[in-house]
Amino acid sequence: MIKIEQLIPLLKKGWVAMDSNGAWLYFFSKPVKDKKTRQWGFHKHGIHKLEVLSVAFDIAPADDWTKSLIKVKGND
């Protein structure tokens, strides 16, 4: 199991966050948390892409999903 901080230097500019189910996600634009659904999402209409990092990597969970949002400066 690795920490999300170990992956961040390898990622492109964007955002990472863990959902309440423990899945780490990568977003191209900043997501917002929806406490009702307990998930990260978008408040604006349009195309927003996300990737599930937990499919490829065994990432340690955050202590609190609501505080897991991290800005990725990028490795472009």
Side-chain angles (χ1 to χ4, degrees):
M1 191 171 289
I2 63 172
K3 294 182 179 183
I4 190 66
E5 293 82 6
Q6 293 174 280
L7 285 178
I8 288 175
L10 306 174
L11 300 174
K12 290 185 177 184
K13 184 178 178 181
W15 297 82
V16 294
M18 187 189 81
D19 269 344
S20 62
N21 64 4
W24 278 97
L25 308 169
Y26 168 83
F27 300 88
F28 287 102
S29 57
K30 185 177 182 179
V32 294
K33 63 182 165 239
D34 184 336
K35 289 186 180 180
K36 183 178 178 182
T37 64
R38 299 179 52 89
Q39 302 294 320
W40 290 95
F42 302 101
H43 56 81
K44 296 179 182 178
H45 296 288
I47 298 172
H48 301 281
K49 187 168 179 172
L50 70 94
E51 302 291 338
V52 181
L53 297 173
S54 297
V55 171
F57 302 98
D58 185 17
I59 306 170
D63 292 332
D64 181 352
W65 78 272
T66 64
K67 298 176 183 174
S68 66
L69 185 64
I70 302 169
K71 185 175 185 177
V72 179
K73 293 184 180 182
N75 182 21
D76 297 331

